[in-house]
Amino acid sequence: MRETAIVQRIRALAEAGRHDPAIIRGIGDDCAIFRPRPNEDLVFTSDFVLEDRHFTLRTHTARDVGHGALARSLSDLAAMGSKPVFCLVSLAIPARLGASWVRGFYKGLLSLAAKYDVTLAGGDLAQFEKVIADVTCCGRVPRGKAILRSGAKPGDRIYMTGALGASARALALGRRADGPEPRIRAGIALRRLGVSAGMDLSDGLSLDLHRLCLESGVSAELESDLPIAPGASLKEALHGGEDYELLLTASPEKKLPPRIAGLPITQIGTITRGHAGQVYFKKRPLRAKGFDHFR
Ligand SMILES: [Mg+2]
């Protein structure tokens, strides 16, 4: 099948899906055109998904890979408390996988896109020895209201949605973790509640909390009883990646409800004054051992 024919199929799938009216031109031209509203900020994020790094063709179907590729980017939009608007998807695949794999990838991606009103506005297709997907997402947030990593203050409480370690546990068992569910609704609700800082948990609590503290110029003290997924070890909970839950801080005057958008919210620690980026667990310095591509 030729590229033009494949693009036409993808275009038909995309046009059957969501279409944000702010996208005044989507797939079909050299660029997509997006017309923002007044008084909104746009947030952008871009994420790679690489075969044999983030998934294998043995364990993941084309649909799984498409779902996962969009979910990673949407998780970053959730972390900012933004509402997703559109995505651009660049996909390279080996020739032997063929058009049916491409179709499966886009079906997986577009079913998640439909759930969160994301318009597939464009992208690129290429052949390469391995599967590479790069998904860029844009979200909108009221002007000046995006949740940043840099807003945590000493005395703030640290919270997270959901539980830790499920993906690390699945990986240890040689299984495929369930496709991550981006915490979009929770992110928007938490932004409205006025949290002080936040990010998504993609590379493990120890490393991600270290990063948040570094950006905020603070330290953190974790509590000893963390919300751990069934079967996961403490080590998997502290250092395992790919949880895609939200990590937040809020001033002690803000009382966060025990559940937001159907997800449990647990206080897991306190922000303290101290060496920027230092995280303590049971009074001892916790090494940031989460997933780092360059270690
Ligand atoms: Mg992130």
Side-chain angles (χ1 to χ4, degrees):
M1 198 185 235
R2 305 299 286 260
E3 184 179 336
T4 312
I6 298 176
V7 171
Q8 285 312 324
R9 288 271 192 98
I10 296 168
R11 183 176 182 173
L13 285 172
E15 285 172 356
R18 299 297 158 139
H19 191 87
D20 192 294
I23 306 284
I24 58 173
R25 187 77 184 146
I27 296 174
D29 221 306
D30 292 291
C31 291
I33 304 178
F34 173 62
R35 189 167 288 164
R37 299 168 181 165
N39 296 319
E40 72 181 5
D41 284 335
L42 301 178
V43 300
F44 294 89
T45 182
S46 173
D47 281 86
F48 265 134
V49 174
L50 310 174
E51 182 188 342
D52 294 334
R53 165 65 67 171
H54 300 108
F55 71 94
T56 67
L57 292 174
R58 198 168 34 79
T59 51
H60 289 63
T61 65
R63 273 178 176 263
D64 295 335
V65 179
H67 173 107
L70 180 61
R72 279 163 179 275
S73 277
L74 290 184
S75 182
D76 282 328
L77 295 190
M80 307 292 281
S82 71
K83 187 179 181 314
V85 186
F86 70 87
C87 65
L88 302 170
V89 179
S90 290
L91 175 67
I93 63 157
R96 68 186 157 81
L97 289 181
S100 70
W101 199 94
V102 175
R103 210 158 46 241
F105 173 92
Y106 279 98
K107 281 190 173 165
L109 185 138
L110 283 164
S111 70
L112 185 66
K115 201 167 165 183
Y116 295 104
D117 286 329
V118 185
T119 304
L120 172 59
D124 198 12
L125 272 179
Q127 271 186 21
F128 194 63
E129 298 93 83
K130 290 197 178 193
V131 176
I132 299 175
D134 181 23
V135 178
T136 298
C137 273
C138 169
R140 52 165 53 107
V141 64
R143 192 170 165 164
K145 300 290 186 194
I147 303 171
L148 307 178
R149 294 181 181 185
S150 54
K153 305 254 180 322
D156 284 0
R157 309 291 190 241
I158 307 167
Y159 299 87
M160 62 168 286
T161 60
L164 294 161
S167 285
R169 184 86 294 257
L171 199 67
L173 295 172
R175 285 208 223 112
R176 179 180 67 81
D178 289 337
E181 195 60 47
R183 304 311 196 189
I184 297 291
R185 282 184 269 275
I188 292 169
L190 287 157
R191 189 242 304 148
R192 288 183 178 141
L193 282 169
V195 295
S196 55
M199 67 184 295
D200 67 324
L201 286 167
S202 55
D203 296 331
L205 177 63
S206 64
L207 182 55
D208 288 331
L209 181 55
H210 161 73
R211 287 168 173 158
L212 185 142
C213 287
L214 213 50
E215 283 299 314
S216 292
V218 295
S219 294
E221 177 80 50
L222 278 175
E223 282 174 15
S224 49
D225 52 339
L226 297 168
I228 300 179
S233 68
L234 178 63
K235 196 171 160 230
E236 286 164 340
L238 286 172
H239 307 297
E242 313 249 318
D243 285 316
Y244 296 105
E245 295 294 347
L246 299 180
L247 177 68
L248 305 136
T249 65
S251 78
E253 295 82 54
K254 295 254 184 241
K255 285 275 171 278
L256 297 197
R259 291 185 83 79
I260 285 180
L263 292 169
I265 304 282
T266 313
Q267 188 187 323
I268 59 166
T270 308
I271 295 292
T272 55
R273 213 174 291 278
H275 187 67
Q278 185 64 63
V279 178
Y280 295 89
F281 181 63
K282 295 185 176 175
K283 309 285 172 205
R284 291 219 185 95
L286 180 69
R287 274 187 54 205
K289 280 193 212 154
F291 187 77
D292 183 338
H293 280 277
F294 295 97
R295 187 148 60 203

